[in-house]
């Protein structure tokens, strides 16, 4: 197993001019002692690094390419020789490196930093990349953690696939046992309420409900941890007795803030099991609270049924993964 951490920043021209971005990255890597093997482009592999930098500085018009990509390959973030990884031709790039993409007609670039956290001398150990992140933030202050990816050997991947196949009947049985909050599909009253919500939205009205506050009152703080994800999405998360992650996700983003959606999943280092999803009208606080209580009950019901079988198939997830 190899563990790759991704950091990302949208670099706008007001912070770093587009024509200087590759030179800026080149200088950053060199000044901090992070040598790379080469600079090349998946979209223009025939170009030398000098030609690629020139293309980034000025994309020719009018027949310009729709995007230009550049890769600083095999960056040595922790010293020594970086373990190479073959480019797969699609995101995520998953390597010790920096991936930059500039789409034609835009005034910004997406910059992705990939850092392998596994130690080549001790694969079971996950290295602390905080010193690298501090250096990144000095030059790219808005960089943020984007994700963690695990790359498996062929043998590991085959074992995980076999475990998922063996567990599939149990998962389907548990999914079928989780009842919906409302058996109202096609009910005229449901559609009438939805139409009223649309009319309110068209008038600029907003429901005076705080999904976060309701969730914090329904999910005990001693058992669940609140996590804001993006926009109006948030999660109530807890660690199960067998070392997995139970997640209940809520979303009420505009214009959907007249509706409340929820999903439940159990996940671990080697698996992710979506178990339930439903959406209701946010008629009033009592309805939303009852819906959240229903979701909490289903989540704990699913945990009771699956926690031990998942452990028997996949084992416990390491602490570093649960802390993500």
């Amino acid at each position: 197993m190899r563990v790759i951490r991704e950091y990302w920043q949208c670099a706008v021209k007001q912070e770093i001019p587009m024509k200087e971005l590759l030179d800026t990255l080149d200088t950053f890597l060199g000044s901090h002692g992070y040598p790379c093997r080469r600079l090349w482009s998946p979209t223009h592999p025939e170009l030398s690094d000098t030609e690629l930098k020139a293309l980034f500085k000025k994309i020719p018009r009018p027949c310009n390419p729709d995007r230009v990509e550049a890769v600083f390959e095999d960056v040595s973030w922790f010293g020594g020789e970086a373990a190479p990884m073959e480019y797969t031709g699609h995101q995520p790039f998953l390597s010790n490196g920096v991936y930059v993409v500039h789409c034609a007609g835009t005034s910004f670039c997406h910059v992705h930093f990939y850092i392998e956290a596994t130690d080549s001398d001790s694969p079971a150990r996950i290295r602390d990349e905080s010193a690298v992140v501090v250096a990144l933030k000095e030059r790219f202050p808005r960089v943020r953690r984007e994700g963690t990816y695990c790359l498996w050997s062929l043998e590991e991947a085959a074992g995980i696939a076999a475990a998922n196949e063996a567990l599939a009947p149990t998962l389907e049985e548990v999914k079928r046992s989780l009842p919906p909050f409302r058996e109202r599909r096609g009910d005229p009253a449901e559609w009438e309420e939805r139409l009223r919500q649309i009319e309110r939205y068209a008038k600029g009205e907003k429901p005076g409900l705080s999904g976060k506050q309701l969730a914090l009152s329904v999910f005990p703080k001693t058992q669940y941890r609140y996590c804001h994800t993006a926009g109006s999405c948030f999660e109530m998360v807890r660690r199960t007795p067998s070392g997995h992650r139970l997640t209940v996700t809520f979303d009420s983003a505009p214009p959907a803030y007249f509706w409340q959606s929820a999903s439940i999943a159990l996940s671990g280092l080697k698996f992710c099991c979506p178990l339930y999803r439903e959406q209701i009208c946010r008629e009033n606080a009592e309805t939303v609270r009852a819906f959240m209580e229903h979701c909490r009950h289903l989540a704990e019901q699913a945990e009771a049924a699956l926690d031990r079988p998942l452990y028997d198939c996949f084992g416990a997830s390491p602490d570093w993964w649960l802390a993500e």
Side-chain angles (χ1 to χ4, degrees):
M1 178 187 71
R2 297 172 70 173
V3 178
I4 311 293
R5 293 219 166 99
E6 177 187 5
Y7 291 82
W8 168 85
Q9 177 171 323
C10 179
V12 298
K13 67 178 182 180
Q14 291 85 350
E15 299 170 342
I16 305 174
M18 295 298 100
K19 63 182 181 180
E20 299 177 10
L21 181 58
L22 294 189
D23 286 327
T24 298
L25 283 164
D26 211 349
T27 301
F28 165 78
L29 294 173
S31 64
H32 285 80
Y34 302 138
C36 68
R37 187 162 68 90
R38 63 171 178 160
L39 169 63
W40 67 291
S41 173
T43 47
H44 300 77
E46 75 284 356
L47 297 181
S48 68
D49 57 352
T50 302
E51 292 169 329
L52 179 58
K53 288 181 179 180
L55 180 60
F56 250 79
K57 290 179 179 180
K58 184 175 179 59
I59 298 178
R61 296 177 181 274
C63 300
N64 54 302
D66 64 339
R67 60 193 283 131
V68 182
E69 298 173 327
V71 175
F72 291 85
E73 186 177 58
D74 298 339
V75 176
S76 178
W77 299 112
F78 298 101
E81 185 175 348
M85 192 175 299
E86 183 180 355
Y87 177 66
T88 59
H90 57 80
Q91 282 290 89
F93 179 62
L94 296 177
S95 174
N96 281 302
V98 184
Y99 169 78
V100 188
V101 58
H102 181 200
C103 295
T106 62
S107 59
F108 58 87
C109 286
H110 292 285
V111 185
H112 303 258
F113 301 89
Y114 294 99
I115 303 168
E116 181 166 1
T118 37
D119 190 336
S120 56
D121 297 326
S122 179
R125 186 171 74 89
I126 301 299
R127 292 186 285 199
D128 178 12
E129 77 272 24
S130 58
V132 177
V133 176
V134 168
L136 287 178
K137 286 184 176 294
E138 288 176 357
R139 187 62 188 87
F140 304 92
R142 295 189 298 110
V143 73
R144 68 168 190 244
R145 172 84 71 84
E146 190 71 6
T148 298
Y149 311 98
C150 296
L151 304 183
W152 307 99
S153 67
L154 293 177
E155 295 77 11
E156 290 170 328
I160 293 171
N164 275 293
E165 185 176 352
L167 194 64
T170 303
L171 283 175
E172 288 305 314
E173 182 180 348
V174 171
K175 288 180 183 180
R176 288 193 296 268
S177 72
L178 303 179
F181 180 65
R182 286 175 172 168
E183 294 283 0
R184 294 179 60 181
R185 294 186 181 276
D187 186 341
E190 174 83 1
W191 290 107
E192 289 174 6
E193 177 58 32
R194 286 178 179 255
L195 287 173
R196 286 195 293 271
Q197 301 284 35
I198 293 172
E199 290 172 356
R200 294 169 192 161
Y201 171 68
K203 294 177 181 178
E205 299 177 10
K206 293 185 179 181
L209 296 177
S210 170
K212 173 184 175 180
Q213 295 304 319
L214 287 172
L216 291 175
S217 68
V218 169
F219 291 81
K221 293 182 180 179
T222 55
Q223 300 178 31
Y224 291 86
R225 175 169 52 95
Y226 170 86
C227 299
H228 177 262
T229 52
S232 61
C233 294
F234 64 90
E235 298 173 342
M236 304 306 297
V237 183
R238 81 173 185 181
R239 181 173 182 169
T240 70
S242 294
H244 309 313
R245 181 189 291 151
L246 175 65
T247 306
V248 185
T249 304
F250 294 103
D251 182 17
S252 55
Y257 46 46
F258 289 109
W259 293 271
Q260 183 73 58
S261 66
S263 60
I264 300 171
L266 271 165
S267 57
L269 178 65
K270 299 178 181 179
F271 67 90
C272 181
C273 302
L275 300 169
Y276 167 89
R277 182 172 180 81
E278 187 172 1
Q279 185 182 70
I280 66 164
C281 285
R282 304 181 83 197
E283 298 166 359
N284 49 55
E286 290 73 22
T287 301
V288 176
R289 178 187 295 276
F291 179 53
M292 290 182 170
E293 289 173 345
H294 176 77
C295 292
R296 178 191 164 196
H297 172 74
L298 294 189
E300 293 172 1
Q301 177 182 330
E303 177 193 315
L306 290 172
D307 196 34
R308 188 64 199 186
L310 287 167
Y311 178 83
D312 293 339
C313 283
F314 301 104
S317 298
D319 290 339
W320 65 262
W321 184 87
L322 291 163
E324 292 292 325

